[in-house]
Amino acid sequence: MSTVVASRELSTTANILAGGLTVPVPQIAQSVALQIAIPDFQIHLEMPLEDVISNMSAGKVLLRATVDEEVAIILTVAGRLIEDQFQIEGVYFKTEAPFESARASFVASTLHAMFGLSKGVNLHVPELEINLELEFSRPLLDVSHMLSRRQLEYRIMLIERAIGYKFMLPSDLTAEQVRDVALVYHAIVHRTFVWPVNSIGVSFPATNELHNYLKAGNQDASFTFVPQPQRRILFGKDILLGNGSLTIENKFIEDFDKALEKLTRNDGHEVAVVIRSLSGQGRYDFPDAPRLSDSPWEPMIQMLIDLEPHLDSHLVERYHALAAATLSGLTEEEKAEVTTRPEFGEAFLIADSEEEHS
Amino acid sequence: MAIGIALPETPLALDSNVLTAWRYQKREVLDAIAAYQSQLKNFSSFNFNDCL
């Protein structure tokens, strides 16, 4: 199983709500800034405008601005030159990164998700007399996927910062890599956390010490393994998490009596023991995992990180509104009718197997 | 309504009761779905047209 994680390029199409371009686009000598205001998120971004390529007769004006050293924004204003007016037909927003990195992808995902959830985005370059009000509509599911990807990119970026190493990221991540990223992230940020665990198989040498250890371990509702040095290999990099332990909650030791009997032989032979969690959960403790510094991020990145709860709430509000809209305009009787659980009747009951075969 | 403990990396499952409560904007369901999004960022492909 694999997941597409980090694309160098993301693109979004916008409708123009208001504004336009002056014909021709004024020539400028000094460096100017592209200003982007997103009122729904109370965000105002300002970034150096590196290039302005105006080819109105061919129906295109291109603006290129740099967000930081790893990400650039490219806005293409498409339209038609009719007499002395440039009639805008659409604006295309794209992010580019010179190389694959979690940080570049995180910035791109955040911007695209924020634009996709905003009712309006204002682009402003006063020196070029550019003032556009745009609407970047995106399907909710797209934005949801983008936020999911953003979360993964943030976690990778955080791990990189904590261990002082930049990963060489593949374009696709496997489900196992996604899970390992989550585990290392939780180890660094939360240190102690619950984790899905069905069963753990271990091999104990048959000794008196381990016999007593297993016997004592069976007395409690949970089973904690002795802390051991923990490591995970992420994208080819060995990450040391320090001494860590796993506790199996609501434990059940399979064939406990047999396992105990084998351990009593005290002859050092390997005894396989399977410890299952009846609730499917365990708890990891990583007290010595790497740590982040107190102020690990630059202001721009910190601002984008801090957007997370706002991005979530905007997306969730849209989903809530969609759910509510399915009942809007209906009478109470109609609502009751469409929300009543269906009765499938006998035809959908599972037949008694003996009766069926008689 | 809940069907199990939500672990840090587990997906969301909705039964028709939860879906109905969601459509009626019951606060506890709205909050639970918001908490899920906050933690896991993994909405499924809902097709509300099926509800109409």
Side-chain angles (χ1 to χ4, degrees):
Chain A
M1 188 178 163
S2 72
T3 302
V4 175
V5 171
S7 293
R8 288 184 186 183
E9 293 187 3
L10 279 171
S11 64
T12 308
T13 305
N15 297 317
I16 184 150
L17 300 175
L21 297 183
T22 303
V23 180
V25 174
Q27 297 291 313
I28 46 159
Q30 78 277 27
S31 61
V32 298
L34 170 67
Q35 299 173 29
I36 303 178
I38 307 113
D40 288 346
F41 288 87
Q42 298 180 319
I43 291 288
H44 184 93
L45 303 170
E46 213 170 294
M47 53 198 78
L49 194 58
E50 301 287 342
D51 283 318
V52 180
I53 303 170
S54 176
N55 192 350
M56 286 182 161
S57 56
K60 197 184 282 185
V61 176
L62 188 142
L63 309 174
R64 187 175 192 281
T66 50
V67 179
D68 67 10
E69 69 271 24
E70 291 187 24
V71 189
I73 279 178
I74 295 174
L75 282 157
T76 306
V77 184
R80 281 185 297 172
L81 192 59
I82 300 173
E83 296 178 355
D84 61 346
Q85 291 219 323
F86 190 69
Q87 193 172 8
I88 298 176
E89 293 172 338
V91 178
Y92 306 95
F93 168 73
K94 195 166 78 163
T95 45
E96 276 187 352
F99 53 90
E100 205 83 37
S101 77
R103 177 192 164 106
S105 299
F106 171 80
V107 171
S109 299
T110 307
L111 292 177
H112 281 275
M114 180 165 56
F115 290 176
L117 289 169
S118 301
K119 292 189 190 80
V121 175
N122 300 314
L123 299 182
H124 195 37
V125 188
E127 297 84 352
L128 299 181
E129 297 170 19
I130 294 175
N131 195 0
L132 300 173
E133 191 180 342
L134 306 173
E135 179 192 47
F136 292 87
S137 58
R138 267 197 112 106
L140 288 187
L141 191 57
D142 273 9
V143 179
S144 178
H145 289 159
M146 209 166 275
L147 293 185
S148 174
R149 192 165 67 180
R150 176 185 179 277
Q151 182 189 51
L152 182 60
E153 291 153 354
Y154 170 64
R155 288 176 173 183
I156 295 172
M157 192 169 79
L158 183 143
I159 295 167
E160 287 181 336
R161 191 53 63 103
I163 66 171
Y165 180 83
K166 279 248 177 195
F167 295 119
M168 293 289 289
L169 292 175
S171 54
D172 289 353
L173 295 193
T174 65
E176 289 71 28
Q177 286 171 322
V178 172
R179 186 199 56 210
D180 285 347
V181 165
L183 189 137
V184 175
Y185 165 80
H186 288 301
I188 292 169
V189 175
H190 302 114
R191 333 288 290 177
T192 295
F193 54 95
V194 291
W195 193 254
V197 172
N198 290 320
S199 66
I200 297 285
V202 287
S203 183
F204 288 157
T207 62
N208 285 335
E209 187 188 2
L210 286 169
H211 167 270
N212 295 337
Y213 171 65
L214 189 69
K215 193 174 177 183
N218 198 39
Q219 305 297 313
D220 299 325
S222 60
F223 187 95
T224 301
F225 289 97
V226 174
Q228 288 184 339
Q230 301 284 333
R231 65 205 315 158
R232 289 289 185 285
I233 295 176
L234 266 186
F235 314 117
K237 168 73 177 170
D238 196 4
I239 300 174
L240 304 177
L241 297 172
N243 272 339
S245 64
L246 171 64
T247 298
I248 309 279
E249 306 284 7
N250 303 107
K251 67 96 182 56
F252 171 77
I253 301 175
E254 287 189 357
D255 296 324
F256 173 72
D257 292 334
K258 276 188 189 172
L260 208 59
E261 189 273 326
K262 287 177 184 173
L263 290 173
T264 55
R265 291 180 200 167
N266 196 27
D267 59 3
H269 82 282
E270 295 292 320
V271 179
V273 178
V274 175
I275 305 173
R276 192 173 295 283
S277 169
L278 298 176
S279 58
Q281 60 176 312
R283 192 188 72 241
Y284 274 114
D285 291 283
F286 291 106
D288 305 325
R291 291 180 186 275
L292 276 180
S293 64
D294 288 340
S295 302
W297 311 111
E298 303 85 338
M300 170 74 165
I301 296 292
Q302 186 63 58
M303 186 265 288
L304 297 179
I305 291 170
D306 293 343
L307 278 172
E308 180 171 326
H310 306 290
L311 292 166
D312 287 339
S313 64
H314 275 76
L315 178 72
V316 165
E317 285 308 317
R318 296 274 193 93
Y319 270 110
H320 287 346
L322 210 52
T326 64
L327 298 182
S328 69
L330 301 184
T331 64
E332 290 306 315
E333 290 76 19
E334 288 169 332
K335 286 180 185 177
E337 194 176 333
V338 298
T339 57
T340 302
R341 279 189 155 185
E343 296 291 338
F344 293 112
E346 288 185 8
F348 290 87
L349 293 176
I350 298 169
D352 185 305
S353 57
E354 285 185 21
E355 190 179 295
E356 199 167 76
H357 293 108
S358 62
Chain B
M1 248 179 281
I3 58 168
I5 302 162
L7 296 175
E9 302 295 326
T10 50
L12 175 72
L14 296 180
D15 74 357
S16 62
N17 265 1
V18 175
L19 201 54
T20 296
W22 194 8
R23 297 167 78 184
Y24 276 106
Q25 304 284 282
K26 300 289 183 193
R27 178 44 57 191
E28 65 272 22
V29 170
L30 299 185
D31 290 345
I33 288 170
Y36 173 86
Q37 166 62 22
S38 168
Q39 189 174 333
L40 288 173
K41 331 282 184 202
N42 190 19
F43 271 118
S44 302
S45 177
F46 295 112
N47 185 352
F48 284 105
N49 289 327
D50 292 342
C51 302
L52 296 171

